[in-house]
Amino acid sequence: MTTDISRRGFLQAAGAAMLVIGIRPDGALAAGHGSAQLTPFVKIDANGVVTAVVKHFEMGQGPATGLTTLIAEELGLSMDAIEYEFAPSDPSKYNNLFFGPFQGTGGSTAMANSYMQYRQAGAAAREMLIGAAARTWGVEPTTLTLQDGVISGGGKAAPMVDFLSAAAEMDPPANPTLKDPKDFRLIGNPDVRRKDSTPKTNGTAIFAMDLHLENQMVAMIARTPRMGGTVAGFDDSDAQSIKGFIRAAALPNKAGVVVYAENTWGALQARDALTVEWDFSAAEVRSSDEFRAELIAAVNTDPEFNVMNSDQAATAALIDGADKVVDHTYYFPLLAHAPMEPLTCTIQATEDGGILLHDGAQQPTGPHMAMAQIFQLPMEKIRINTMLAGGSFGRRATPTADYQVEAALAFVITDRTRPVKLVWSREDDITGGYYRPAVAHRVRVGLDGDGNILGWDHRIASPSIIKGTPFASALVHDGVDHTSIEGVFGSPYIIPGQFLGLTDVAKATSVLWWRSVGHTHTAYVMETMMDAAAKAAGRDPVEFRLALLSGGEKDQTRLAGVLKLAADKGNWGKAVAGRSQGIAVHKSFNSYAAEVVEISGTAEEGIKIEKVTCAIDCGIAVNPDVIKAQMEGGIGYGIGHVMRDEITLTEGVVDQSNFPDYEPLRIGDIAAIEVHIVPSAEAPTGVGEPGTPPAAPALANAIAANGPRVTELPMNKHGVSFA
């Protein structure tokens, strides 16, 4: 194989040796020192510093560690001997292979998307360096090894940097030989720790909120309190007396009034001093009770879409003629994402007439395209400096690039001589208008005299997250938004006589994917209904599920595997006196998770979550320490929100504003979490989200073992108190 790159030419031009390994636009491996023809994944400089170019951004979920691990493994390096940097925004080079021509992080795809790319890049670098050394020494490459930055064999040894120039002149192998898993030193090693732990602990890590550019202005925006409201006018007379205030202006799209100040405190105070007149003629004015009533009504009528094209009347007849019928209606409220770092980004002009955006960019392609449109510049004139983000849970990846567009609009109406840093407060974040949609389900299950399922009628009503976005072509089929039904549609359970219906309901505010998207509510319904059906059948909940996972298909086998492991490690059925247990199992993002929740106390006097036992099958466990942390975080996120969180509306205005009335999980809410990883040779799959879906239903099932079946959330508003 040959490449279009003259490596000797740009090595000479650079004046220093460097080896860069990546891929060409056609997907073939390429090597050199840098070129428009090359997408770097690994760089080695003349000092022997190895850098992984990470194409997935870091919001706490671990790709900065995971992708460097893959390169370090193939190059025979320790984790201390490799650095990382974030890739530039360029979807033609760093697209997510699962997202098409789009660069982004989400859907728990980082490791699944990049596992082979990064291993192949590291293996190619190893083979090229060894090949260069073999030529220099006149020996066979098979006699040499590369370990800890040193190439050795046949009585010779030298640092790999001695061969960078020679390696850069070679063609990379078309199919480099990957390490045999039995030789892994880093992949699967539970002692490998995160690359970003130390800087995040000692305060040297720079998050987007930490950035402070010389001569910058801070911008804060007074936004419409109702979806669809626009600015009719404003008065900044009182703001003018605030120290640091510069000016105020309506955004070009009339969505808000931006205040510019010399610092964040001045911007916050000046914004609070504004008087804004809003035009609510086209705004949302429904309250939560009205919206809830619409959703409940929708699941009690014929659905808009027959998702599986099954016979609704036949299913109803099976259920109506059953010996026992389990019938529950569920309601899930709006939920905020509430990452610990509120939204922020900084925008500045560059000397070449372009724009530079500093952002914790979860999906850089969206804001990149938006910047090009707003500033009427070609894509190559827009650069994005991807920074660390303090959480996201989906909020930093909107189809509209909402906060980045706000920053761009705030900047475009200045003289562009000063950088503009957009800052959201916590209150802005909670009232910010992008939420996990409110959803209703109704499920009727018919059982025969032996406790076997005869029919399953499942109705879902929800606003669509995807319709009207650039992702509709991939995720909306025959009018059905598959994020609304995932977790029910395609469930590995063998469910006879199943009918699945969906009704779209007009949204009351902007809705967005939220950690694990549709699985947040479908897993709760599926797994609590499984428990209710098992109870009606007089059968053990684990045995009942296993019987429905006995078809021998891979999904069923792997789901049954984690179910058995969680039950075993969680001492299922052996809870001490005064405690009860609940279990749930769910497949999401191609991973399989089961969780046992053990509680003490009662719903009336106060529930205490004593322990959560989790089993996860995510294929090859690249970083077990990261996987365990993600499971713990996902469990806490899922449980914390169902315990006491909801976003409510009064005439279209959000009632909650900060953590006192949208309370996150407390460290004392869960006494212990234990995570068990299933050994696997399957390709790695996601871990950022799969821990969340089973957590809440496992808790609900533990409560229902000796108390109420909670079908409306949050729990503390519907019959359950917590100690």
Side-chain angles (χ1 to χ4, degrees):
M1 183 183 83
T2 60
T3 69
D4 298 326
I5 302 167
S6 172
R7 299 171 193 77
R8 184 186 296 275
F10 35 74
L11 282 172
Q12 291 173 344
M18 175 175 280
L19 178 62
V20 179
I21 306 290
I23 59 171
R24 301 184 315 194
D26 63 3
L29 282 168
H33 182 67
S35 164
Q37 298 285 331
L38 174 62
T39 300
F41 288 135
V42 56
K43 302 188 296 188
I44 308 173
D45 70 16
N47 296 316
V49 176
V50 181
T51 302
V53 182
V54 176
K55 73 175 188 176
H56 298 283
F57 104 127
E58 179 66 74
M59 52 185 159
Q61 81 283 26
T65 300
L67 301 187
T68 58
T69 300
L70 303 177
I71 290 172
E73 181 69 82
E74 294 294 346
L75 269 174
L77 300 174
S78 70
M79 290 296 286
D80 292 333
I82 186 168
E83 306 297 330
Y84 72 89
E85 64 185 40
F86 293 119
S89 173
D90 188 342
S92 69
K93 294 181 176 182
Y94 291 106
N95 68 303
N96 187 311
L97 300 179
F98 301 148
F99 293 175
F102 197 88
Q103 184 177 349
T105 305
S108 296
T109 61
M111 187 58 67
N113 166 71
S114 302
Y115 181 71
M116 292 306 297
Q117 281 186 323
Y118 280 74
R119 284 192 66 193
Q120 287 175 340
R126 180 189 72 239
E127 290 191 10
M128 292 173 71
L129 289 164
I130 287 177
R135 286 187 187 181
T136 302
W137 294 338
V139 300
E140 288 295 319
T142 55
T143 66
L144 303 179
T145 60
L146 171 54
Q147 192 67 47
D148 296 326
V150 175
I151 299 174
S152 60
K156 295 180 179 291
M160 67 181 184
V161 295
D162 290 358
F163 307 100
L164 289 182
S165 295
E169 296 180 24
M170 300 169 60
D171 291 328
N175 295 292
T177 301
L178 302 178
K179 269 191 174 182
D180 190 306
K182 67 180 177 56
D183 297 323
F184 286 165
R185 300 197 314 166
L186 300 176
I187 294 175
N189 185 341
D191 294 327
V192 171
R193 294 294 180 257
R194 292 181 62 121
K195 291 290 292 181
D196 53 351
S197 291
T198 297
K200 286 180 177 177
T201 301
N202 64 24
T204 58
I206 303 298
F207 291 79
M209 190 65 82
D210 298 324
L211 186 69
H212 184 91
L213 299 179
E214 184 178 355
N215 199 35
Q216 74 178 19
M217 294 186 288
V218 174
M220 297 191 80
I221 296 173
R223 298 174 183 84
T224 172
R226 293 184 174 94
M227 184 177 70
T230 57
V231 176
F234 72 94
D235 182 356
D236 64 355
S237 301
D238 292 340
Q240 293 176 18
S241 64
I242 301 296
K243 183 178 179 180
F245 173 77
I246 299 172
R247 74 182 186 106
L251 290 173
N253 61 0
K254 302 298 183 182
V257 178
V258 58
V259 169
Y260 305 87
E262 298 293 345
N263 53 57
T264 302
W265 181 245
L268 181 63
Q269 295 293 102
R271 185 185 64 171
D272 289 347
L274 289 177
T275 300
V276 182
E277 180 184 352
W278 298 102
D279 179 358
F280 291 133
S281 59
E284 176 61 60
V285 295
R286 285 177 294 174
S287 295
S288 292
D289 288 347
E290 298 171 78
F291 192 57
R292 176 187 178 281
E294 288 182 34
L295 289 164
I296 297 298
V299 296
N300 282 289
T301 57
D302 289 341
E304 183 179 359
F305 302 103
N306 182 339
V307 176
M308 302 167 65
N309 294 315
S310 51
D311 190 330
Q312 181 179 353
T315 297
L318 287 170
I319 296 170
D320 292 340
D323 289 85
K324 293 182 179 179
V325 176
V326 181
D327 185 344
H328 287 302
T329 299
Y330 294 79
Y331 179 72
F332 300 84
L334 292 162
L335 292 176
H337 300 77
M340 293 308 295
E341 180 191 23
L343 299 173
T344 183
C345 62
T346 303
I347 191 168
Q348 65 180 131
T350 59
E351 292 182 359
D352 64 356
I355 294 295
L356 174 58
L357 175 70
H358 306 271
D359 181 30
Q362 184 170 352
Q363 292 185 348
T365 301
H368 199 149
M369 295 173 67
M371 299 292 129
Q373 182 177 4
I374 290 169
F375 293 101
Q376 294 295 292
L377 291 171
M379 289 283 282
E380 59 268 20
K381 283 287 189 179
I382 309 294
R383 289 168 43 222
I384 297 180
N385 172 29
T386 297
M387 307 187 70
L388 294 171
S392 170
F393 314 116
R395 181 60 184 90
R396 299 182 194 276
T398 64
T400 58
D402 69 307
Y403 70 95
Q404 298 100 334
V405 167
E406 284 185 342
L409 294 177
F411 186 70
V412 78
I413 59 176
T414 71
D415 63 10
R416 309 185 197 181
T417 61
R418 299 182 66 178
V420 170
K421 179 178 183 178
L422 175 70
V423 174
W424 284 49
S425 68
R426 175 65 59 199
E427 288 77 12
D428 293 338
D429 178 63
I430 298 297
T431 63
Y434 280 87
Y435 306 103
R436 197 286 306 274
V439 184
H441 290 239
R442 185 185 177 189
V443 187
R444 297 176 68 236
V445 178
L447 304 168
D448 66 17
D450 295 323
N452 300 307
I453 294 175
L454 292 174
W456 185 294
D457 185 326
H458 199 138
R459 319 283 180 89
I460 303 173
S462 173
S464 172
I465 294 173
I466 301 298
K467 289 183 179 180
T469 75
F471 303 98
S473 61
L475 295 171
V476 177
H477 305 293
D478 297 324
V480 175
D481 179 347
H482 276 254
T483 68
S484 298
I485 59 170
E486 60 186 357
V488 179
F489 181 77
S491 169
Y493 285 124
I494 304 168
I495 301 178
Q498 186 175 20
F499 171 82
L500 174 58
L502 172 67
T503 300
D504 288 340
V505 175
K507 55 192 175 186
T509 187
S510 300
V511 295
L512 188 63
W513 35 72
W514 188 92
R515 191 175 191 170
S516 74
V517 201
H519 298 282
T520 62
H521 52 89
T522 61
Y524 189 96
V525 175
M526 290 295 292
E527 289 303 295
T528 57
M529 284 301 297
M530 281 294 169
D531 250 52
K535 186 173 184 179
R539 292 162 66 180
D540 174 77
V542 172
E543 180 271 328
F544 188 78
R545 288 173 170 83
L546 288 174
L548 300 177
L549 295 171
S550 60
E553 296 182 358
K554 179 182 284 190
D555 276 355
Q556 295 166 342
T557 300
R558 294 178 73 179
L559 206 63
V562 292
L563 179 61
K564 292 175 184 177
L565 181 60
D568 177 53
K569 297 297 184 180
N571 293 316
W572 177 255
K574 302 174 184 176
V576 300
R579 296 188 181 185
S580 59
Q581 296 174 313
I583 197 165
V585 61
H586 195 73
K587 177 194 174 187
S588 62
F589 307 96
N590 294 314
S591 291
Y592 309 81
E595 291 159 20
V596 174
V597 171
E598 186 166 321
I599 63 172
S600 60
T602 64
E604 296 78 14
E605 297 176 357
I607 296 293
K608 174 66 176 176
I609 303 171
E610 300 290 351
K611 185 179 181 181
V612 181
T613 304
C614 171
I616 176 68
D617 179 352
C618 56
I620 295 170
V622 176
N623 296 123
D625 183 60
V626 171
I627 292 169
K628 289 184 177 182
Q630 286 301 295
M631 291 302 107
E632 292 167 354
I635 289 165
Y637 198 74
I639 285 178
H641 278 84
V642 300
M643 286 172 67
R644 46 182 169 251
D645 284 339
E646 64 177 337
I647 292 291
T648 58
L649 305 175
T650 299
E651 297 182 350
V653 178
V654 174
D655 299 317
Q656 294 72 27
S657 64
N658 207 315
F659 288 148
D661 52 13
Y662 192 84
E663 188 176 355
L665 185 81
R666 301 289 184 176
I667 196 168
D669 284 335
I670 303 175
I673 300 177
E674 188 177 280
V675 178
H676 301 273
I677 301 172
V678 175
S680 177
E682 298 283 348
T685 48
V687 296
E689 295 165 279
T692 297
L699 171 61
N701 290 336
I703 294 169
N706 294 300
R709 172 72 59 193
V710 183
T711 58
E712 186 161 350
L713 300 173
M715 291 178 169
N716 69 338
K717 299 288 181 64
H718 297 92
V720 179
S721 62
F722 292 94

